[in-house]
């Protein structure tokens, strides 16, 4: 009887798995049939092919040319958004995208006193982040620690990894107050979780359109400056350079490591290198955090500021050196667009309630990526 029951349960599970597989096959078949119908409805079923180093690329029978055309327009609009084209000739005017993002930072974080309180509680309840900062992050990031010399009362600047570790080791005997302890726990990439979450979404007020373009940000440089000189004013300042990227389509067509200049286009060696991402722009993000109740008139400080956005891709029009790179990205984005899940603001939790889980997921990912290195 027991064997019969086990076999019945196995059959039920197998049947459920097969049902899921069949539904997936049906979804793919319907998608392919839709593509075929679109192609059949077009005259000739194909448009002039793009170029790849002077070689014609035959259109794939599964390509949705209408979808690619729309995706090309949307991607160029996205690049224009990053460029801040509405600035006109006034280069000193702040980009509308930067103004919108910083306005959102002010409303959701900078002017919300509960955010700083929640952040203090987050780091207060996670002592393990201190070891993560000193063991994993300190050797691979730029750190600067400002302290006061006990004898001369002059400012000392610590930048060497061993020197910084030695200084904090001397405080372990009991002279380390809670402000310093919390700042050490916070001085790592966990501070990036909330602003990066805020930058990601859909619409003109977002830097990273993860839905439409599967775009991502990569922290290319990150520096931490801890000012521990005066009690009640201690804080950490973070400067982070972010690369805004989209899938390059290098698995389907020619990909590039970085973007091309006219000089690069003449180099066959440059064309041979491939990358999974196409960089569109670089952005500079500034972060300040102070757990001191006297750091501002309203209490502890949390401040996020997007300093600038600098496009890193140009000459992507017809006959431009980056035209093929854009076309390659368009192909893969158009193919995958139907699978993306758009961000639903109605289902999003408030910043205060989701902040802890966002940090937890973010720092877990950072630890996974850094676990392969020995520090």
């Amino acid at each position: 009887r027991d064997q019969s029951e086990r076999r019945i349960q196995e059959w039920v599970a197998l049947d459920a798995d097969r049902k899921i597989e069949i539904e997936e096959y049906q979804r793919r078949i319907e998608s392919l049939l839709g593509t075929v119908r679109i192609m059949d409805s077009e005259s000739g079923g194909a448009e002039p092919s793009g170029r790849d180093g002077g070689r014609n690329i035959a259109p794939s029978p599964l390509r949705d040319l209408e979808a690619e055309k729309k995706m090309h327009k949307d991607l160029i609009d996205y690049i224009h958004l990053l460029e801040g084209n509405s600035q006109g000739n006034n280069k000193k005017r702040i980009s509308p995208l930067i103004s919108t993002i910083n306005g959102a930072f002010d409303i959701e974080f900078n002017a919300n006193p509960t955010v700083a309180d929640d952040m203090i509680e987050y780091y207060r309840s996670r002592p393990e982040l201190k070891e993560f900062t000193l063991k994993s992050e300190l050797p691979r990031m730029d750190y600067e620690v400002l302290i006061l010399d006990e004898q001369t009362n002059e400012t000392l600047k610590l930048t060497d990894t061993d020197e910084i570790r030695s200084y904090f080791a001397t405080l372990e005997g009991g002279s380390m107050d809670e402000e310093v302890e919390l700042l050490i726990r916070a001085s790592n990439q966990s501070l990036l979780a909330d602003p990066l979450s805020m930058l990601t979404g859909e619409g003109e007020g977002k830097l990273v359109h993860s839905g439409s373009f599967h775009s991502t940000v990569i922290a290319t440089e990150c520096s931490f400056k801890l000012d521990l000189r005066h009690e009640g004013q201690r804080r950490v300042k973070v400067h982070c350079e972010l690369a805004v990227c989209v899938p390059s389509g290098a698995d389907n067509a020619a990909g590039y490591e970085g973007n091309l200049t006219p000089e690069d286009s003449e180099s066959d060696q440059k064309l041979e290198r491939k990358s999974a991402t196409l960089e569109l722009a670089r952005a500079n993000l500034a972060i300040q955090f102070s757990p001191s109740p006297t750091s501002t008139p309203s209490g502890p400080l949390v401040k996020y500021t997007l300093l600038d956005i600098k496009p890193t891709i140009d000459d992507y029009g017809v006959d431009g050196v980056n035209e093929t790179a854009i076309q390659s990205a368009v192909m893969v984005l158009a193919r995958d667009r139907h699978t993306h899940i758009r961000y639903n603001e109605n289902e999003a939790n408030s910043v205060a309630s989701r902040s802890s889980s966002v940090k937890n997921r973010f720092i877990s990912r950072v630890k996974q990526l850094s676990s392969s290195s020995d520090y």
Side-chain angles (χ1 to χ4, degrees):
R1 181 177 178 179
D2 292 340
Q3 288 180 345
S4 298
E5 289 180 353
R6 282 197 299 269
R7 292 182 65 183
I8 290 173
Q9 294 300 323
E10 290 174 358
W11 290 338
V12 170
L14 181 60
D15 183 65
D17 292 340
R18 287 180 175 175
K19 182 180 179 181
I20 293 174
E21 291 178 0
I22 291 171
E23 291 175 348
E24 175 64 16
Y25 287 136
Q26 288 176 338
R27 187 190 65 78
R28 293 182 182 180
I29 291 170
E30 289 173 359
S31 176
L32 292 174
L33 288 175
T35 302
V36 172
R37 293 189 190 101
I38 293 175
M39 294 178 63
D40 288 341
S41 66
E42 295 188 4
S43 176
E47 292 183 357
S49 61
R51 290 182 298 280
D52 183 7
R55 301 186 304 274
N56 290 331
I57 303 175
S60 167
L62 297 181
R63 286 176 58 183
D64 186 337
L65 300 178
E66 280 298 320
E68 289 182 19
K69 183 177 179 180
K70 185 178 187 307
M71 176 57 71
H72 185 275
K73 179 183 181 303
D74 291 346
L75 183 58
I76 297 301
D77 288 344
Y78 180 38
I79 294 175
H80 289 168
L81 175 68
L82 297 175
E83 291 173 343
N85 277 1
S86 59
Q87 297 180 64
N89 295 325
N90 186 2
K91 295 184 178 180
K92 294 184 179 180
R93 182 181 174 186
I94 298 176
S95 162
L97 178 59
I98 296 177
S99 298
T100 301
I101 290 173
N102 284 332
F105 279 152
D106 287 339
I107 294 173
E108 296 287 353
F109 297 102
N110 303 342
N112 186 348
T114 62
V115 171
D117 293 336
D118 292 340
M119 187 171 290
I120 290 173
E121 288 303 316
Y122 175 84
Y123 290 113
R124 185 176 285 156
S125 63
R126 287 166 176 80
E128 69 277 4
L129 288 178
K130 178 181 178 180
E131 181 181 2
F132 177 66
T133 296
L134 297 177
K135 183 178 180 181
S136 298
E137 297 283 74
L138 184 58
R140 59 196 184 95
M141 301 284 181
D142 292 329
Y143 280 81
E144 178 182 300
V145 180
L146 300 179
I147 61 174
L148 288 178
D149 186 287
E150 294 182 354
Q151 297 180 348
T152 64
N153 207 38
E154 294 181 354
T155 296
L156 298 178
K157 182 190 296 185
L158 310 179
T159 58
D160 180 73
T161 298
D162 293 333
E163 191 177 32
I164 294 174
R165 282 176 176 166
S166 297
Y167 170 72
F168 287 127
T170 63
L171 303 181
E172 293 292 346
S175 58
M176 183 184 297
D177 57 34
E178 188 184 41
E179 283 184 13
V180 176
E181 179 75 25
L182 292 177
L183 284 173
I184 298 175
R185 298 179 188 182
S187 296
N188 52 61
Q189 293 185 70
S190 63
L191 279 178
L192 303 180
D194 283 336
L196 291 187
S197 175
M198 191 71 182
L199 292 174
T200 303
E202 295 297 315
E204 295 186 353
K206 301 294 183 179
L207 178 68
V208 186
H209 292 196
S210 57
S212 299
F213 306 108
H214 302 286
S215 56
T216 57
V217 286
I218 302 171
T220 58
E221 294 182 12
C222 210
S223 62
F224 297 82
K225 182 177 181 179
L226 286 82
D227 188 345
L228 308 179
R229 290 174 293 179
H230 303 289
E231 185 178 357
Q233 301 178 26
R234 296 176 178 133
R235 65 190 61 202
V236 57
K237 296 181 179 179
V238 186
H239 177 268
C240 192
E241 183 185 61
L242 306 171
V244 183
C245 305
V246 297
S248 67
D251 57 336
N252 291 333
Y256 301 91
E257 184 176 300
N259 303 324
L260 299 185
T261 64
E263 291 78 12
D264 292 330
S265 65
E266 299 175 0
S267 172
D268 292 336
Q269 182 179 2
K270 183 75 175 182
L271 289 171
E272 290 175 358
R273 294 199 297 266
K274 294 186 177 182
S275 173
T277 60
L278 175 66
E279 183 180 307
L280 303 181
R282 296 227 172 174
N284 286 285
L285 177 68
I287 301 171
Q288 292 190 63
F289 170 57
S290 173
S292 171
T294 58
S295 58
T296 71
S298 59
L301 169 69
V302 172
K303 186 175 183 180
Y304 304 127
T305 306
L306 185 64
L307 302 177
D308 59 35
I309 305 171
K310 298 178 181 179
T312 54
I313 188 170
D314 57 10
D315 200 12
Y316 45 78
V318 177
D319 296 326
V321 295
N322 283 311
E323 180 197 8
T324 303
I326 291 291
Q327 292 293 346
S328 177
V330 164
M331 285 177 59
V332 69
L333 290 171
R335 182 194 68 192
D336 294 340
R337 166 166 271 190
H338 71 281
T339 64
H340 86 266
I341 301 175
R342 292 186 177 276
Y343 180 78
N344 188 341
E345 293 183 354
N346 294 328
E347 297 177 358
N349 297 321
S350 66
V351 171
S353 63
R354 73 171 186 253
S355 177
S356 180
S357 61
V358 168
K359 284 190 181 67
N360 286 339
R361 292 195 301 270
F362 186 86
I363 200 64
S364 295
R365 179 60 177 160
V366 171
K367 287 181 177 180
Q368 288 174 1
L369 294 175
S370 62
S371 62
S372 59
S373 301
D374 294 325
Y375 294 115

